[in-house]
Amino acid sequence: MTGTALPTTDELRARALSALGTLGVTVPEGGDFSARSPITGDDLFGLRAATAAEAEAAVAEARTAFLTWRTTPAPRRGELVRRLGELLREHKSDLADLVTIEAGKIRSEALGEVQEMIDICDFAVGLSRQLYGRTIASERPGHRLAETWHPLGVVGVISAFNFPAAVWSWNTAVALACGDTVVWKPSERTPLISLACDRLLARAAEDVGAPREVHRLLLGDRAVGERLVDDPRVALVSATGSTRMGREVGPRVAARFGRSLLELGGNNAAIVAPSADLDLAVQGIVFAAAGTAGQRCTTLRRLIVHRDIAETLTERLTAAYRKLPIGDPFDENTLVGPLISAVALEAMNSALARVQAQGGKVLAGGNRRLSEAAPQAAYAEPVLVRVDEQTDVVKEETFAPILYVLTYDTLEEAIALHNDVPQGLSSSIFTRDQQEAEIFLSAAGSDCGIANVNIGTSGAEIGGAFGGEKDTGGGRESGSDAWKAYMRSATNTINYSSELSLAQNVSFL
Ligand code: NAD
């Protein structure tokens, strides 16, 4: 437990206003929905949601801006992203304040989220000079084949509450460098940080002389998101959130032959082998399972431990869990902040009740905290639960800090348990046995989009592509060649001979 009292809602409101003021944001006040802080669970400001006409205008403006942006040389587009990165660096502390106020992240994780935005800007600036296509050997004399990459159009970004700014930046920095324009519908639970990001991008556009309309922000709930989903002018819908959301969005976008990039729920596991360095494993597990109060898509939710070390490891984890400081995320000593809402706490308690009814045994945690100091807030102790089998509740993603501990005897059994869930986002193995590590990373190993060795499931770097398989949606964002999702390719056949020769030796005329 942390010793300090929680800030009051008035203090949080003042801190938010101070950050917004420094960032130059005007809050669109209204009565449609509220900016709220999970730190006290209270509303901060009433806000106005985008109307249908505003959503229509935003897409139209982004589409018009696309027509000039797509022919702006890519390295010049990169200058906009570079300027955005500079402004993010300058305002890192204020942005992190807003992330903490709205998403409840502890200070170092909130700063880390802003750092991730800066990193992807750097990446996208470099990318703006590296949108490579290949040349391909032609079967015909005097011919050349080439692959060219062109901007795609308007990208609709729909984002979740738990990475309220970083997910936007992964999409936006890359999309802008690729020559696309962006309309963003952030989570209705994190409107303030999205107003701040939009403002900084507007300033960057002004500073480098880019059209302001390359980026539009639409505040509001899913109904606003649905407008992007159904609008044929939105070439790509990049949607991050629950699998439930993806199941609705994916087919709707496909029905109009639009493209979608889905980043959905995870149910991530780590295998701990007998040779594992347990000091390292305990640190990696506790950060991945309890960090961000269990509210990362890559949060570690299942631990698959070799039977020989299960008792030692669970004892060490139990001791670590009992000491976790829970409370005010602004307090430097806190490691676990609040859950996003009372509904999230109910979902956590309901999953705990179900798993206990299915034979699970709670080893540590599970109690509510600070209910007297902040009755509207949802602080909970991260929980460690021993389970004998992977029952239905274990196979679900409960977006809260619950870690289910299972045991195994053979690596084959561990990998089978690991893959036997609907989701396929992140995974890891703790081992000092190279053969085991390689098997886990092989085609017969983890079926996830992210597979790690001797590090937890969460905390990816932006340089690699990010995303997962199965119910996680199949999308890839951020680094590596994820940029290709934001562009369209064309194959060019160029005849520089004086004769027309047809492919496959076809003769005609
Ligand atoms: P959510 O699904 O409730 O909402 C996400 C976003 O989708 C919000 O902006 C919401 O307004 C919008 N939305 C919901 N239904 C919609 C619809 N039918 N049409 C259009 N828009 C719709 O998710 P959340 O609670 O904000 O976030 C937590 C979830 O997000 C978890 O499942 C987590 O694993 C997932 N997540 C995944 C990744 C990833 O990269 N794979 C990253 C972050 C979060």
Side-chain angles (χ1 to χ4, degrees):
M1 265 303 276
T2 53
T4 52
L6 293 174
T8 65
T9 300
D10 282 343
E11 284 165 351
L12 292 170
R13 196 178 287 120
R15 195 159 180 167
L17 278 176
S18 158
L20 292 166
T22 312
L23 288 154
V25 174
T26 317
V27 179
E29 289 185 47
D32 297 330
F33 71 112
S34 296
R36 201 179 136 274
S37 177
I39 298 175
T40 56
D42 293 330
D43 288 351
L44 301 174
F45 312 103
L47 293 172
R48 206 173 65 71
T51 61
E54 284 167 337
E56 161 63 34
V59 177
E61 286 162 7
R63 175 69 202 168
T64 304
F66 171 69
L67 300 180
T68 51
W69 192 240
R70 67 181 174 181
T71 53
T72 304
R76 283 200 41 215
R77 301 195 297 246
E79 285 167 21
L80 170 62
V81 180
R82 177 173 34 239
R83 183 67 192 130
L84 174 64
E86 285 167 1
L87 291 170
L88 292 171
R89 279 186 171 84
E90 202 180 301
H91 293 284
K92 187 170 180 181
S93 181
D94 284 322
L95 291 165
D97 271 9
L98 293 174
V99 171
T100 297
I101 289 168
E102 284 192 307
K105 290 196 184 185
I106 61 169
R107 183 75 183 156
S108 80
E109 290 196 54
L111 286 168
E113 173 149 9
V114 185
Q115 185 58 47
E116 205 168 323
M117 302 169 76
I118 295 166
D119 294 344
I120 195 71
C121 285
D122 286 353
F123 180 91
V125 174
L127 180 67
S128 71
R129 289 181 185 269
Q130 298 176 78
L131 300 170
Y132 301 135
R134 286 174 289 199
T135 50
I136 299 144
S138 170
E139 66 192 41
R140 288 169 279 186
H143 284 63
R144 183 168 69 81
L145 287 183
E147 163 198 287
T148 42
W149 288 90
H150 298 299
L152 195 59
V154 177
V155 176
V157 176
I158 297 173
S159 56
F161 81 85
N162 66 321
F163 273 92
V167 164
W168 166 75
S169 69
W170 293 355
N171 282 286
T172 303
V174 171
L176 291 174
C178 289
D180 301 326
T181 56
V182 174
V183 181
W184 181 24
K185 206 303 280 176
S187 167
E188 51 275 47
R189 292 185 274 199
T190 54
L192 302 181
I193 182 69
S194 50
L195 285 163
C197 294
D198 178 60
R199 181 71 207 119
L200 290 186
L201 186 44
R203 275 179 61 191
E206 206 175 297
D207 292 350
V208 303
R212 167 70 182 97
E213 296 76 15
V214 295
H215 186 256
R216 305 272 76 175
L217 172 69
L218 294 174
L219 294 187
D221 63 11
R222 57 190 283 178
V224 181
E226 285 173 41
R227 295 191 192 287
L228 297 179
V229 169
D230 294 333
D231 193 322
R233 295 167 300 176
V234 178
L236 168 69
V237 175
S238 175
T240 301
S242 57
T243 295
R244 178 206 57 75
M245 177 276 287
R247 276 194 210 293
E248 290 165 13
V249 167
R252 274 168 79 161
V253 178
R256 62 170 175 85
F257 296 111
R259 286 198 200 174
S260 58
L261 194 170
L262 300 175
E263 297 280 356
L264 312 174
N267 188 357
N268 318 293
I271 294 172
V272 190
S275 68
D277 173 340
L278 287 192
D279 290 337
L280 184 145
V282 168
Q283 281 180 53
I285 291 164
V286 177
F287 170 66
T292 332
Q295 300 170 111
R296 287 193 189 215
C297 51
T298 51
T299 288
L300 179 63
R301 307 200 181 280
R302 297 175 297 132
L303 196 62
I304 304 166
V305 190
H306 192 275
R307 199 173 299 280
D308 291 352
I309 54 163
E311 202 175 319
T312 314
L313 182 62
T314 47
E315 272 170 17
R316 292 187 61 174
L317 289 173
T318 303
Y321 265 55
R322 291 203 173 123
K323 284 193 290 204
L324 282 172
I326 301 160
D328 174 14
F330 277 117
D331 183 332
E332 300 269 308
N333 297 314
T334 298
L335 293 181
V336 181
L339 292 175
I340 190 68
S341 65
V343 175
L345 182 62
E346 272 167 37
M348 177 174 174
N349 288 335
S350 145
L352 279 179
R354 279 171 64 203
V355 75
Q356 285 175 285
Q358 291 168 4
K361 289 191 184 55
V362 171
L363 303 176
N367 298 307
R368 185 172 176 190
R369 292 279 188 91
L370 294 162
S371 57
E372 282 183 21
Q376 310 300 326
Y379 291 85
E381 294 169 352
V383 202
L384 208 55
V385 188
R386 177 81 178 81
V387 290
D388 289 333
E389 53 181 325
Q390 205 152 244
T391 55
D392 56 359
V393 67
V394 179
K395 292 185 183 183
E396 290 169 14
E397 180 197 50
T398 302
F399 215 55
I402 304 176
L403 180 60
Y404 301 113
V405 184
L406 295 139
T407 48
Y408 77 91
D409 293 302
T410 65
L411 183 63
E412 198 182 11
E413 184 195 343
I415 291 173
L417 273 172
H418 177 279
N419 291 346
D420 187 24
V421 292
Q423 311 82 355
L425 180 52
S426 187
S427 60
S428 76
I429 186 166
F430 288 91
T431 181
R432 281 186 283 202
D433 179 327
Q434 190 182 0
Q435 190 179 30
E436 281 187 336
E438 293 291 347
I439 290 171
F440 181 73
L441 299 179
S442 76
S446 161
D447 63 0
C448 291
I450 299 170
N452 299 334
V453 176
N454 290 329
I455 189 151
T457 50
S458 66
E461 297 181 25
I462 60 92
F466 182 94
E469 302 302 325
K470 305 191 292 188
D471 279 11
T472 303
R476 292 294 185 277
E477 278 177 2
S478 198
S480 187
D481 62 354
W483 61 271
K484 290 182 175 171
Y486 300 82
M487 300 195 85
R488 62 181 176 87
S489 72
T491 301
N492 315 130
T493 306
I494 302 118
N495 176 8
Y496 57 92
S497 74
S498 308
E499 284 172 27
L500 188 73
S501 54
L502 300 178
Q504 295 90 39
N505 296 323
V506 171
S507 47
F508 198 81
L509 288 182

